[in-house]
Amino acid sequence: MQNGSGMPVEKRSGVPASPGRSAGPVVHMPPRVPEPATSRIEPDAVDRAASAVREAAERVEQDLARRAARATGTAADILSVTAAMAADQTLAADAAHRVRADHLTPERAVWDAAGAVATQLESLGSPMAERARDVRDVRDRIVAVLTGAPPPGVPDPGHPFVLVATDLAPADTATLDPETVLAVVTARGGPTSHTAIIARSLGIPAVVALGEAADLAPGETVLVDGTDGLVLVGPGAAELSAAGLADGDDGRHDGAGPLVRRRRSARDAFDGTATTRDGHDIDLVANVADPAEADAAANAGARGVGLFRTEFCFLGRGTEPTVAEQVEAYRAVLARFSGGRVVVRTLDAGADKPLRFLTPDHEDNPALGVRGIRTAVDHPEVLDRQLEAISRAARAESTEVWVMAPMVATADETREFVAACTAHGLTTAGVMIETPAAALQARWLLADAAFASLGTNDLTQYTMAADRDLAGVAALSTPWQPAVLDLVRVACEGGAVHGRPVGVCGEAAADPLLAPVLVGLGVTSLSMTPRALAAVAAALRQVTLDECRDLATSALDKPTARAAREVVRDFGSGGP
Ligand code: PEP
Ligand code: MG
């Protein structure tokens, strides 16, 4: 393969993580800003150094305000809050004082001043303690200006770009702006890692587990194919055209700026319902993480929520949110679905989503450690306060509220969780089935639980013993694995014993090819990123319930994930 200038086009394979294709220049995520050494300056340099602090703080504020004005949604909100923090004179004044009093370099003075402010905020407890993280972010940005280091966080080169990173922290993914980030490429992560889930929810094409991501040269044009997991370096007209990017909807290549091509997939309409060809209803609902996502879900036509990931409202916090804060966050989500149903998941803290106030600092194997419902053993009061908040929010809104616990493995955990919910007047309490133990024991768990929801991301991770964030085992991480499908079958059979609904809220639910198989296995609801609702509803309209069952039987009968997928894919072209 050669591009227009006769240079060979290099094709690299990763793991598809968020569908879509776009092309643009590579921009790397910058490394963390290092802590400056404690060094001193000469007395005659003090005045210049003190004004350098103020100028750097001003520059940071202006830069953030400019970015906030251009950004959209959550990214705009976060940038505006950080800009306001940078505009506050307290930090710069304290740093300038330290320069004068102690003759510290401006960068060290800023570091120390920010440390003092952050510690003070933390000592005040929630909600002020939460500002400490913003102070440290502003600190890093000012230090970067003073030392000439690249500013931290998602870069802002002034034009749309392909973001390349080793991996993205949850706080960074929150500032991804789909208007400027054309695609995401990471060296780490798997298809169900949180970077992948967030890219999908924002509609940003993503390829993860691309081992050589760090070698992509800054500024080089790449074509990212998030559907097939490919990255083409230096694509020519032929490759752009084959990818449907010959004249992307905001394509430009005027010689002045970098080539930027993107094609937004036309969104099919979703009317809130889904039915098989023979009229069997399937509950199709949305996964949300906060009020902004609840808005997006309602706007996409979702009439309910099958998974409200509450921990995302509080990621990065050093202290437990108060009951009042929780009530406010939960009500904002419930209010968007008046008359509908929202399934609220209690905090799934731990592993890739640590919450400093709840999860242990260090575990050798956090995915197998104290996460999800297991945190309630040492901190029953945190679960108790969360249930109290959910209960108050439910009473204040006219939304049907179901509650479920993550990472359940035993019938005892189920019984205790249901009892705790009942004590707070939460009468529809269920469990997530994310461990093989829970799937195999479903008939016991569902004797107490009112419903179950299969978290196929973790169920796949634990069934295949393949870390969902680890690139090296990403090929194993697919819910098409017949072993995973078999556990889905067993879980559904366990629910049927008691006439209890069993849904899926992992990423498997968003795969239009897999959805009919899940329905055939006995799944009663599918909860997914709002972007996938229309495509999954369309796929279900093509098949009857009996065909779904035949597809499930055929997929279960295959020895490999690939063969299972192929037998279902070939169905439409005259297969089973
Ligand atoms: C899952 O594991 O499938 C799930 C929905 O939970 P999370 O992705 O938040 O771990
Ligand atoms: Mg999970």
Side-chain angles (χ1 to χ4, degrees):
M1 227 187 330
Q2 296 203 325
N3 61 19
S5 53
M7 298 289 287
V9 176
E10 205 184 309
K11 193 194 258 190
R12 302 186 184 186
S13 295
V15 170
S18 175
R21 298 183 177 94
S22 48
V26 166
V27 173
H28 284 267
M29 194 76 186
R32 285 182 70 92
V33 173
E35 177 176 346
T38 306
S39 26
R40 318 259 165 206
I41 52 174
E42 294 301 324
D44 60 358
V46 156
D47 284 344
R48 207 167 354 102
S51 19
V53 169
R54 290 214 164 80
E55 284 160 20
E58 260 172 45
R59 230 174 95 186
V60 166
E61 188 229 326
Q62 285 161 5
D63 179 51
L64 288 167
R66 185 174 46 80
R67 289 182 63 182
R70 285 205 320 248
T72 52
T74 312
D77 294 345
I78 292 175
L79 291 165
S80 308
V81 168
T82 321
M85 180 72 77
D88 184 341
Q89 292 302 308
T90 324
L91 176 61
D94 184 10
H97 171 75
R98 286 167 196 260
V99 167
R100 292 184 191 286
D102 304 331
H103 295 188
L104 288 174
T105 59
E107 58 272 23
R108 184 69 220 186
V110 169
W111 194 273
D112 290 350
V117 177
T119 309
Q120 201 184 6
L121 287 170
E122 275 162 355
S123 73
L124 296 174
S126 184
M128 291 312 283
E130 306 322 319
R131 310 291 295 273
R133 188 184 38 162
D134 302 330
V135 170
R136 293 199 176 93
D137 184 25
V138 169
R139 170 198 73 187
D140 289 355
R141 290 173 187 280
I142 300 177
V143 169
V145 170
L146 289 165
T147 58
V154 175
D156 175 28
H159 54 73
F161 61 99
V162 171
L163 180 63
V164 178
T166 306
D167 204 355
L168 294 175
D172 294 325
T173 52
T175 56
L176 286 179
D177 185 353
E179 289 305 312
T180 50
V181 180
L182 294 163
V184 171
V185 177
T186 63
R188 296 210 186 123
T192 57
S193 61
H194 282 94
T195 299
I197 293 174
I198 286 168
R200 265 197 294 277
S201 78
L202 292 171
I204 301 175
V207 173
V208 298
L210 190 93
E212 322 93 330
D215 306 341
L216 294 169
E220 176 125 54
T221 301
V222 291
L223 189 165
V224 180
D225 179 342
T227 309
D228 291 329
L230 298 173
V231 174
L232 270 58
V233 183
E239 290 75 37
L240 290 169
S241 163
L245 295 171
D247 54 354
D249 57 8
D250 56 353
R252 66 180 154 96
H253 196 187
D254 52 14
L259 178 141
V260 169
R261 296 282 159 84
R262 130 173 76 192
R263 187 167 293 283
R264 293 170 218 265
S265 52
R267 292 256 205 118
D268 297 326
F270 174 62
D271 69 2
T273 61
T275 327
T276 57
R277 206 170 76 231
D278 56 335
H280 180 80
D281 287 336
I282 312 292
D283 207 13
L284 239 56
V285 282
N287 289 353
V288 306
D290 54 32
E293 283 197 8
D295 274 348
N299 294 339
R303 295 196 185 160
V305 168
L307 169 63
F308 173 15
R309 289 181 162 106
T310 54
E311 65 281 1
F312 274 84
C313 298
F314 309 113
L315 276 182
R317 291 188 57 140
T319 53
E320 183 190 346
T322 62
V323 170
E325 282 176 287
Q326 293 189 59
V327 173
E328 191 185 327
Y330 306 153
R331 282 192 65 179
V333 170
L334 300 185
R336 296 299 280 134
F337 297 95
S338 281
R341 175 190 306 144
V342 171
V343 181
V344 184
R345 174 172 77 180
T346 54
L347 296 171
D348 183 21
D352 55 336
K353 294 173 289 185
L355 290 179
R356 273 183 286 149
F357 59 86
L358 192 54
T359 39
D361 274 351
H362 177 76
E363 291 177 324
D364 285 341
N365 217 340
L368 302 182
V370 181
R371 64 168 289 199
I373 191 66
R374 299 170 183 187
T375 59
V377 174
D378 280 348
H379 298 286
E381 70 292 347
V382 176
L383 175 64
D384 200 52
R385 283 189 283 266
Q386 183 174 27
L387 293 176
E388 174 60 22
I390 297 170
S391 174
R392 278 197 215 169
R395 286 200 301 272
E397 300 292 336
S398 41
T399 309
E400 184 183 346
V401 173
W402 291 12
V403 190
M404 66 182 177
M407 273 299 285
V408 169
T410 67
D412 284 342
E413 287 167 348
T414 307
R415 200 173 316 111
E416 283 162 24
F417 179 72
V418 172
C421 290
T422 309
H424 286 279
L426 295 162
T427 48
T428 312
V431 288
M432 287 195 73
I433 294 188
E434 309 188 88
T435 60
L440 293 167
Q441 293 290 96
R443 72 196 163 105
W444 297 111
L445 272 50
L446 282 145
D448 288 305
F451 69 98
S453 187
L454 284 144
T456 46
N457 307 334
D458 277 315
L459 185 61
T460 304
Q461 152 164 274
Y462 296 122
T463 304
M464 303 310 295
D467 185 337
R468 62 194 267 190
D469 286 323
L470 191 64
V473 292
L476 291 168
S477 296
T478 161
W480 284 96
Q481 294 286 358
V484 177
L485 296 179
D486 217 15
L487 287 171
V488 173
R489 177 187 62 78
V490 175
C492 291
E493 284 174 7
V497 169
H498 306 280
R500 311 280 207 210
V502 176
V504 169
C505 63
E507 294 302 292
D511 179 347
L513 207 54
L514 189 52
V517 176
L518 297 173
V519 169
L521 289 169
V523 163
T524 52
S525 71
L526 296 167
S527 189
M528 65 202 74
T529 173
R531 289 176 182 270
L533 287 163
V536 172
L540 291 172
R541 268 198 302 277
Q542 311 295 315
V543 284
T544 65
L545 184 57
D546 277 346
E547 285 169 346
C548 289
R549 291 185 177 134
D550 288 348
L551 286 170
T553 309
S554 305
L556 278 176
D557 198 34
K558 293 285 173 274
T560 64
R562 182 188 299 188
R565 191 173 187 282
E566 279 173 3
V567 75
V568 176
R569 189 198 57 200
D570 294 343
F571 169 75
S573 49

